[in-house]
Structures are given as structure tokens and as C-alpha cells.
């Protein structure tokens, strides 16, 4: 969590896993990152797993007059979060409950806590193409054996690997990030110059965070009436 993060209604939370839906960034006519991350979801189910170390919760967001003013479609989205001693699984599902086709982009905007970004490396993106949003969206191939963040970073990896790993040397741990259903991934850190431009982030918050997001951006999902889509991301200590 950002040191100045708040839980005020209608404000995005700087930390955790904001749900980006039905629009990533400004790729459409909706407000930045759509409306799901600023909406109040309803609790629909809680379950305990096969042992006391596992549990899950399911949340739901459906269309109402506020969403239809922004986006004129009928939908239901569900977020299932499962946790055990060493892993966190977040699954996002979208259902078309209306009679019109709609398209969407999405992401799980995961803030990963690290000891120090300067002592952190990301492995798994070698050889993958990405859109560099700090350079106007230029498409670039990642040739590095590992990604070390040393300045503002905002990359959309197209056809991303299904598994990447964060080497958090300051905390003496590695975090494995696995994705299913999502085709892309985002890596983001605002760095020193821009971190204070985000409400909820403090001057030095960029040092103790890296955002790695399972995403569906390059190929928007087209959902016909009565059909559904789902994607999931697993964070695990390895």
C-alpha cells in the first residue's frame, strides 16, 4: 500500500490489486482504467478449503444506472480470491448478461511489495516484445537476461510469458507470478520524478513497489450475449 493510500469512495487505491475493467488505461471512451476499480463490489461467497490454511472469497459487480451512464451494457463480473500459506490466486470473470456484443480490455494491477527496487530483478521477459509507453508506445524487444528497474518504467508486454519471477533480494525471497487467460502483462514503476503525481503514493514509495499485471490489452475480448470470459493470476513465494 502507498503510505498515503485511502479507502475513500470513488477513489482508486494505490496498492493491493486494483481491478482494471472494462478498459485499460485510456484505450477507449471511459475514464482512465474503467470503473471497476472505483466501484463497490458485493460479497457473494466465502469458503474454507480442504484444510484450515486455505480460504477464498468471491465478490461481484453488476451493471446499474451509474455504470450504464458510462458504458451501456449489461454485465456481471466476479472476482474470486483464494489464499493459502504461500500463494494468492485472483481470478476475474466477466459475463455478458445482455443482448448486445461488447468488447473490453482488463488487467489485475498488482502492486508487489519489495524491500528496494534497486535490489530487485524481474526474470522471464527475455526475448518478448513490449510497447514502451515512456517512449510514445514504441514497440521494442527485450534483450536483457533480467529486467532491472532504474528509471520510469511503463511497459505492455504483448503475448507475455505465462510465468515470471521477481527476485526481491532485500527481503531474501522470490515471488513467482503465473497467469492464465490473460495474454499480456504490464510492468510499471513511476520512479522518483512522477511518483508524487499519483494520489496515495508518497515520495519514496516507488522504491518499495513494482507493479506486474496480468492483462488483456493487445487483443480486446469480444463477448457475445450469454457468454463469459475469465483470467487468473497466481502469486507464490518460491
Amino acid at each position: 500500500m502507498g503510505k498515503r493510500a485511502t479507502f475513500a469512495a470513488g477513489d482508486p487505491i494505490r496498492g493491493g490489486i486494483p481491478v482494471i475493467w472494462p478498459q485499460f488505461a485510456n484505450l477507449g471512451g471511459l475514464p482512465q482504467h474503467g470503473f471497476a476499480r472505483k466501484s463497490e463490489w458485493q460479497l457473494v461467497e466465502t469458503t474454507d478449503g480442504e484444510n484450515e490454511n486455505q480460504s477464498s472469497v468471491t465478490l461481484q459487480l453488476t451493471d446499474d444506472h451509474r455504470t450504464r451512464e458510462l458504458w451501456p451494457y449489461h454485465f456481471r463480473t466476479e472476482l474470486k480470491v483464494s489464499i493459502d500459506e504461500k500463494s494468492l490466486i485472483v481470478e476475474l470473470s466477466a459475463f455478458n448478461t445482455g443482448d448486445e456484443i461488447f468488447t473490453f480490455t482488463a488487467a489485475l494491477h498488482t502492486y508487489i511489495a519489495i524491500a528496494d527496487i534497486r535490489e530487485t530483478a524481474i526474470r522471464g521477459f527475455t526475448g518478448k516484445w513490449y510497447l514502451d509507453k515512456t517512449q510514445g508506445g514504441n514497440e521494442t524487444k527485450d534483450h536483457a537476461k533480467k529486467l532491472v528497474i532504474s528509471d520510469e518504467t511503463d511497459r505492455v508486454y504483448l503475448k507475455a510469458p505465462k510465468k515470471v519471477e521477481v527476485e526481491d533480494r532485500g527481503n531474501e525471497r522470490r515471488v513467482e507470478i503465473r497467469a492464465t487467460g490473460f495474454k499480456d502483462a504490464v510492468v510499471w514503476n513511476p520512479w522518483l520524478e512522477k511518483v508524487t503525481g499519483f494520489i496515495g503514493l508518497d515520495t519514496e514509495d516507488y522504491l518499495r513497489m513494482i507493479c506486474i499485471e496480468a492483462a488483456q490489452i493487445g487483443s480486446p475480448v469480444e463477448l457475445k450475449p450469454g457468454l463469459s470470459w475469465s483470467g487468473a493470476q497466481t502469486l507464490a513465494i518460491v
Side-chain angles (χ1 to χ4, degrees):
M1 293 293 296
K3 290 182 178 179
R4 298 184 180 182
T6 63
F7 289 91
D11 288 345
I13 300 170
R14 301 298 177 187
I17 308 179
V19 178
I20 308 304
W21 195 87
Q23 175 185 296
F24 178 80
N26 57 359
L27 301 178
L30 292 173
Q32 177 84 357
H33 286 327
F35 49 75
R37 65 174 181 156
K38 297 182 179 182
S39 298
E40 184 173 336
W41 294 55
Q42 302 301 313
L43 175 64
V44 295
E45 184 180 28
T46 61
T47 60
D48 291 325
E50 296 179 356
N51 61 66
E52 61 183 11
N53 295 321
Q54 297 176 329
S55 61
S56 67
V57 60
T58 302
L59 305 173
Q60 181 176 276
L61 177 68
T62 57
D63 64 278
D64 58 21
H65 69 279
R66 288 165 294 190
T67 66
R68 290 191 295 271
E69 287 177 358
L70 296 170
W71 200 60
Y73 300 105
H74 296 278
F75 67 87
R76 183 176 82 255
T77 50
E78 292 182 357
L79 191 73
K80 183 177 181 179
V81 182
S82 305
I83 190 168
D84 59 29
E85 287 185 333
K86 291 190 175 182
S87 65
L88 173 72
I89 304 170
V90 180
E91 181 178 9
L92 175 67
S93 301
F95 303 82
N96 186 338
T97 59
D99 54 11
E100 295 181 72
I101 295 175
F102 62 70
T103 60
F104 64 85
T105 49
L108 297 175
H109 190 4
T110 309
Y111 286 75
I112 298 174
I114 52 177
D116 192 326
I117 190 66
R118 297 164 296 188
E119 298 179 359
T120 301
I122 305 166
R123 303 179 186 276
F125 288 117
T126 305
K128 299 298 182 180
W129 290 88
Y130 65 90
L131 305 178
D132 191 341
K133 297 180 72 176
T134 69
Q135 301 295 324
N138 289 341
E139 191 168 3
T140 306
K141 190 173 185 179
D142 192 336
H143 294 286
K145 292 184 178 180
K146 59 183 180 180
L147 174 58
V148 178
I149 308 296
S150 59
D151 55 12
E152 181 192 358
T153 301
D154 194 353
R155 300 181 176 187
V156 176
Y157 283 88
L158 303 172
K159 298 180 180 178
K162 297 303 179 183
K163 181 177 70 175
V164 299
E165 187 176 283
V166 177
E167 182 183 346
D168 181 8
R169 292 192 293 274
N171 283 322
E172 298 183 339
R173 70 174 187 175
R174 291 177 294 135
V175 180
E176 185 177 88
I177 304 166
R178 302 188 297 269
T180 58
F182 290 98
K183 294 182 179 179
D184 311 315
V186 177
V187 178
W188 179 70
N189 185 296
W191 211 249
L192 175 63
E193 293 78 9
K194 290 191 176 180
V195 67
T196 54
F198 294 92
I199 297 173
L201 293 180
D202 200 24
T203 306
E204 296 187 348
D205 277 342
Y206 76 97
L207 291 172
R208 59 187 193 94
M209 58 160 272
I210 181 65
C211 285
I212 300 180
E213 314 167 33
Q216 187 74 26
I217 300 170
S219 301
V221 176
E222 183 179 275
L223 208 55
K224 296 180 180 179
L227 296 185
S228 64
W229 168 93
S230 66
Q233 178 174 265
T234 299
L235 308 178
I237 302 296
V238 296

